[in-house]
């Protein structure tokens, strides 16, 4: 038993070493690709000649503007994520050569080194290198949080004035974001002033405790989530907080209880929200519904969340009966149809919403030809992907209204549908 356990433990250690080797090799390969990647200038339009841009911090080399698009296919991730990986690799190798060498020699985890380089990206190259040289011999004995707490301290010591300026800029970057739908719930993240954050934390807990009688089956944390929804309705939140502050007067418990239990619909503001749900030929609802700017939830949860909300039903667009346009710009109904057919950008591994993206003609539009602007010849693209296609660095073929094949400058091919991206192996 002990021998078998020791054997499996050694297998885990060996796998960890191989993983660290692979991660180090990947970082090195990304940097080497960045140094040699060029798009064939013979195939580019003269007005769209490939640009060399600096994506990393000060001290990193210029790279092709189209590199992140190629890298996205190789890494099987979105162009945005690929661009982030490129920045990480370049910052580490060119601004922290000793730390990069330690990664290659498997003396430090690639993920730890990359994050350390990112924390130092605002520093001048020589200062950044000096900070990580002080940090490198001490971080190995520390856990993740302790290691980066130490790094933050060293960064402040290296340039106190710059640290104060970063705090000022961080306050300018304050904001709250709602994103991602997972099993009927969404994420809420934000950056607040310290006192505002602490005040929100205390108030959320206070409201959550007032909700205990109404939702006894929920935990405190679940009620805190409910509390944020109530705080989004100021009148409702005020009534609830005031009811919590009122003592129960002898002989008049009804007034206090009425204020506590007043239905939230009285205070609920109007909310414009588009929900897409299909019915079969006999009127039965499909099991899933799509909420705009969120994602898919079950029809049952949709009914529970809507409750007594006011609902307006709009007719759907009949894609099969949608007329093409002779003009260059698609009309509002055609744009909406493209968004329905292709809800995300039609570029390899992209996860951007198609809303507010350019609609590109797969076969370039030409004056004097009819019905060129139609489903089957329009795809949503961001500006860089659009430029890469227009420059003929990337080539595309649309096989149907929602099927597109891309070929990269290095000859890699990808087939896209609304269901995802598939590399086409030769």
């Amino acid at each position: 038993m002990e021998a078998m356990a020791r054997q499996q433990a050694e297998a885990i250690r060996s796998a960890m070493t191989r993983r660290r080797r692979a991660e180090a090799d990947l970082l090195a390969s990304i940097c080497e690709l960045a140094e040699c990647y060029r798009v064939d200038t013979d195939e580019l339009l003269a007005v769209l000649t490939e640009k060399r841009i600096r994506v990393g911090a000060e001290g990193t080399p210029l790279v092709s503007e189209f590199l992140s698009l190629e890298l996205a296919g190789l890494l099987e991730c979105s162009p945005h994520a690929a661009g982030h990986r490129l920045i990480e690799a370049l910052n580490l190798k060119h601004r922290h050569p000793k730390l990069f060498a330690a990664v290659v020699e498997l003396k430090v985890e690639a993920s730890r080194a990359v994050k350390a380089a990112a924390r130092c990206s605002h520093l001048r190259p020589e200062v950044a290198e000096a900070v990580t040289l002080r940090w490198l011999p001490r971080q190995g004995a520390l856990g993740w949080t302790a290691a980066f707490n130490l790094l933050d301290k060293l960064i402040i010591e290296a340039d106190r004035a710059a640290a104060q300026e970063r705090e000022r800029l961080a306050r300018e970057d304050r904001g709250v974001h709602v994103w991602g739908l997972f099993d009927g719930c969404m994420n809420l993240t934000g950056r607040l002033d310290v006192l505002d954050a602490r005040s929100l934390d205390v108030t959320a807990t206070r409201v959550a405790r007032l909700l205990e009688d109404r939702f006894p089956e929920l935990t405190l944390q679940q009620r805190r989530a409910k509390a944020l929804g109530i705080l989004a309705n100021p009148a409702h939140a005020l009534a609830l907080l005031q009811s919590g502050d009122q003592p129960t007067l002898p002989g008049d418990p009804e007034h206090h209880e009425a204020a506590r239990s007043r239905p939230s619909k009285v205070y609920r503001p109007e909310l414009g929200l588009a929900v897409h749900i299909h019915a079969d030929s006999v009127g039965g609802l499909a099991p899933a519904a799509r909420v705009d700017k969120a994602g898919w939830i079950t029809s049952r949860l949709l009914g529970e969340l809507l409750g007594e909300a006011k609902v307006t039903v709009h007719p759907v667009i009949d894609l099969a009966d949608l007329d093409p346009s002779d003009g260059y710009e698609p009309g509002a109904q055609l744009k909406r149809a493209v968004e329905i057919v292709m809800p995300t950008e039609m570029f390899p591994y992209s996860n951007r919403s198609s809303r507010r993206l350019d609609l590109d003609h797969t076969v370039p539009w030409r004056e004097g030809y009819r019905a060129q602007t139609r489903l089957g010849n329009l795809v949503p693209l961001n500006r860089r992907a659009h430029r890469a296609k227009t420059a003929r660095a990337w080539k595309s073929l649309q096989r149907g209204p929602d099927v597109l094949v891309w070929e990269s400058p290095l000859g890699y091919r990808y087939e896209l549908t609304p269901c995802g991206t598939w590399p086409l192996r030769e």
Side-chain angles (χ1 to χ4, degrees), residues 11 39 41 62 120 137 179-180 189 196 220 237 248 259 268 275 277 292 360 367-368 375 380 406 408:
V39 174
T41 55
L62 302 179
C120 298
W179 57 277
T189 57
D196 289 344
L220 176 62
T248 303
R268 184 178 296 156
V275 177
I277 186 167
D292 269 6
D360 177 60
E367 186 74 40
L375 282 179
W406 283 97
S408 81

Side-chain angles (χ1 to χ4, degrees), residues 138-154:
R138 301 167 62 182
Q139 57 81 32
L142 302 175
W144 185 273
T145 300
F148 287 102
N149 284 341
L150 170 62
L151 181 61
D152 289 341
K153 175 175 177 290
L154 296 175

Side-chain angles (χ1 to χ4, degrees), residues 33 37 66-74 394 408-412 414:
L33 177 63
Y37 186 83
F66 301 130
L67 176 57
S68 62
L69 302 179
E70 186 81 62
L71 194 59
L74 299 173
W394 282 73
S408 81
L410 293 183
Y412 296 102
Y414 308 90

Side-chain angles (χ1 to χ4, degrees), residues 204-206 208-209 218-225:
T205 298
R206 181 183 174 193
R209 297 196 187 283
L218 299 184
T219 66
L220 176 62
Q221 286 301 323
Q222 290 169 337
R223 294 197 306 275
R224 275 167 56 90

Side-chain angles (χ1 to χ4, degrees), residues 342 344-348 350 379-381 401-404 406 416-418:
M342 293 169 278
T344 56
E345 180 185 16
M346 291 295 281
F347 193 83
S350 177
V379 292
L381 295 176
D402 60 353
V403 181
L404 197 67
W406 283 97
L416 278 78
T417 75

Side-chain angles (χ1 to χ4, degrees), residues 59-110:
T60 59
L62 302 179
V63 300
S64 168
E65 63 174 316
F66 301 130
L67 176 57
S68 62
L69 302 179
E70 186 81 62
L71 194 59
L74 299 173
L75 297 177
E76 300 186 358
C77 65
S78 71
H80 177 77
H84 186 67
R85 297 285 294 275
L86 175 62
I87 292 170
E88 289 179 337
L90 293 175
N91 282 350
L92 179 60
K93 179 177 181 179
H94 295 280
R95 289 169 50 85
H96 304 268
K98 297 290 178 59
L99 184 57
F100 180 76
V103 172
V104 172
E105 295 167 5
L106 307 187
K107 294 179 179 178
V108 60
E109 286 271 3

Side-chain angles (χ1 to χ4, degrees), residues 136-406:
L136 183 58
R138 301 167 62 182
Q139 57 81 32
L142 302 175
W144 185 273
T145 300
F148 287 102
N149 284 341
L150 170 62
L151 181 61
D152 289 341
K153 175 175 177 290
L154 296 175
I155 289 172
I156 292 173
E157 292 174 351
D159 195 334
R160 186 171 300 178
Q164 293 171 347
E165 175 64 10
R166 287 196 308 279
E167 289 176 341
R168 184 188 68 80
L169 293 174
R171 297 189 73 244
E172 292 183 357
D173 196 34
R174 287 167 294 179
V176 176
H177 311 279
V178 179
W179 57 277
L181 179 68
F182 302 96
D183 298 329
C185 294
M186 296 191 73
N187 295 296
L188 175 68
T189 57
R191 173 174 289 189
L192 286 72
D193 282 329
V194 173
L195 295 182
D196 289 344
R198 294 297 300 122
S199 176
L200 178 63
D201 184 42
V202 170
T203 304
T205 298
R206 181 183 174 193
V207 173
R209 297 196 187 283
L210 293 174
L211 294 173
E212 187 171 5
D213 291 343
R214 192 182 304 175
F215 301 103
E217 74 282 3
L218 299 184
T219 66
L220 176 62
Q221 286 301 323
Q222 290 169 337
R223 294 197 306 275
R224 275 167 56 90
K226 281 279 188 186
L228 288 181
I230 289 174
L231 290 173
N233 301 335
H236 185 191
L238 179 61
L240 184 62
L241 289 168
Q242 287 177 336
S243 72
D245 289 337
Q246 294 171 358
T248 303
L249 301 177
D252 187 26
E254 292 82 3
H255 176 75
H256 177 64
E257 183 57 31
R260 179 184 295 272
S261 60
R262 187 171 299 170
S264 61
K265 67 179 181 179
V266 174
Y267 308 103
R268 184 178 296 156
E270 290 188 6
L271 175 65
L273 190 67
V275 177
H276 305 267
I277 186 167
H278 299 278
D280 58 26
S281 58
V282 295
L285 291 181
R290 181 168 63 86
V291 181
D292 269 6
K293 300 183 181 179
W296 291 95
I297 62 175
T298 64
S299 301
R300 179 177 179 179
L301 177 59
L302 175 64
E304 179 183 331
L305 296 178
L306 288 178
E308 299 179 9
K310 180 180 179 181
V311 176
T312 302
V313 178
H314 295 282
V316 299
I317 299 173
D318 186 351
L319 300 177
D321 195 35
L322 193 61
D323 292 329
S325 171
D326 296 333
Y328 180 80
E329 292 289 341
Q333 191 176 44
L334 183 53
K335 286 182 179 179
R336 184 65 186 130
V338 173
E339 292 172 2
I340 292 172
V341 173
M342 293 169 278
T344 56
E345 180 185 16
M346 291 295 281
F347 193 83
Y349 299 102
S350 177
N351 55 11
R352 289 190 181 188
S353 169
S354 61
R355 285 194 165 193
R356 292 184 291 276
L357 289 180
D358 294 334
L359 293 187
D360 177 60
H361 291 81
T362 308
V363 177
W365 188 88
R366 293 183 295 169
E367 186 74 40
Y369 290 82
R370 303 193 55 169
Q372 297 177 77
T373 303
R374 66 183 189 277
L375 282 179
N377 196 42
L378 290 171
V379 292
L381 295 176
N382 72 68
R383 293 294 173 86
R384 179 164 293 176
H386 195 168
R387 176 179 164 84
K389 175 183 173 293
T390 304
R392 300 174 188 166
W394 282 73
K395 300 178 178 66
S396 65
L397 171 66
Q398 193 159 0
R399 292 180 172 174
D402 60 353
V403 181
L404 197 67
V405 175
W406 283 97

